[in-house]
């Protein structure tokens, strides 16, 4: 059985890691460089770096802080925020990213997915989808979850994978920062629709939430979280020990 990955997420605004609830009320947490060092040593399997206001501000991702962060990371690093062109992919990869996550940029220009996959390989292209349940339908949001695109989420994610995205991050707006568990119904639908790795994001509040995620959706590949790791409410080593005791494969 494939080892399940545990992935901390650095939501970066103005060069600092921040965290809020349902993408709002952002509070300062720490330096991304210091957190990157910490997670590399703490046993994280990968790390995600999002410049969370790049798209909504209509600017490019800050590369100086990314380069410094990447130089302190010795595990796979996925980077996103303000990715809207192949040039952005190239720039971020040259800063030290292993994979590039695209969200609003793909909504505006879906062909960026196939072009990037052709140039850099499917494994480098990650589609990140911010999703909320609106009137009984899962909808895709853009610009840091500020704008409802009206698109049905499962169809959109499947389309992105068909175009060449090699991995999917599903960000549940409804559960983000609430700490009541991952959005299991949404994640099940995504895993049933695609045949690439799926990463669950939004809602983790304790170790049991990860156990429930991997138990209820055996096909899910990874669990991503931010504040519970940042504030050390959950230690990654303790989480992996609990996973192993529950029969869930983890890299110890």
């Amino acid at each position: 059985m494939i080892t399940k990955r545990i992935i901390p997420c650095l939501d970066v605004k103005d060069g600092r890691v921040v965290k809020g609830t349902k993408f709002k009320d952002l509070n300062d947490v720490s330096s991304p460089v210091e957190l990157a060092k910490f997670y590399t040593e703490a046993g994280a399997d990968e790390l995600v770096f999002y410049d969370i206001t790049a798209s909504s501000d209509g600017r490019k991702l800050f590369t100086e802080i990314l380069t410094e962060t990447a130089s302190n990371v010795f595990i796979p690093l996925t980077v996103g925020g303000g990715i809207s062109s192949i040039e952005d992919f190239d720039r971020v990869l040259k800063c030290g990213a292993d994979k590039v996550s695209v969200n609003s940029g793909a909504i505006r220009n879906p062909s960026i997915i196939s072009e990037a996959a052709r140039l850099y390989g499917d494994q480098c292209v990650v589609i990140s989808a911010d999703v909320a349940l609106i009137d009984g339908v899962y909808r895709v949001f853009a610009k840091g979850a500020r704008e409802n695109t009206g698109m049905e989420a499962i169809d959109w994610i499947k389309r992105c994978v068909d175009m060449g995205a090699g991995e999917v991050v599903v960000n549940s707006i409804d559960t983000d920062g609430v700490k009541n568990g991952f959005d299991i119904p949404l994640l099940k639908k995504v895993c049933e629709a695609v045949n690439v790795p799926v990463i669950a994001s939004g809602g983790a509040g304790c170790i049991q939430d990860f156990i429930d995620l991997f138990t209820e959706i055996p096909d899910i590949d990874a669990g991503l979280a931010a504040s519970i790791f940042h504030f050390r409410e959950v230690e990654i080593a303790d989480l992996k020990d609990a996973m192993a005791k529950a029969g869930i494969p983890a890299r110890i």
Side-chain angles (χ1 to χ4, degrees), residues 74-91:
F74 303 101
I75 52 178
L77 175 65
T78 298
V79 176
I83 306 297
S84 59
S85 68
I86 291 300
E87 289 74 24
D88 292 331
F89 267 82
D90 188 65
R91 182 166 52 88

Side-chain angles (χ1 to χ4, degrees), residues 6 29 33 41 56 68 98 117-118 129 140-141 144 150 165 186 188 201 228 233 238 241 252:
I6 301 301
V29 175
V33 178
E41 296 168 356
S56 60
E68 189 177 358
D98 298 287
R118 179 178 59 80
V140 177
F141 280 66
L186 167 61
K188 280 184 176 179
S201 173
I228 62 166
E233 297 165 24
D238 294 340
D241 284 343
I252 305 296

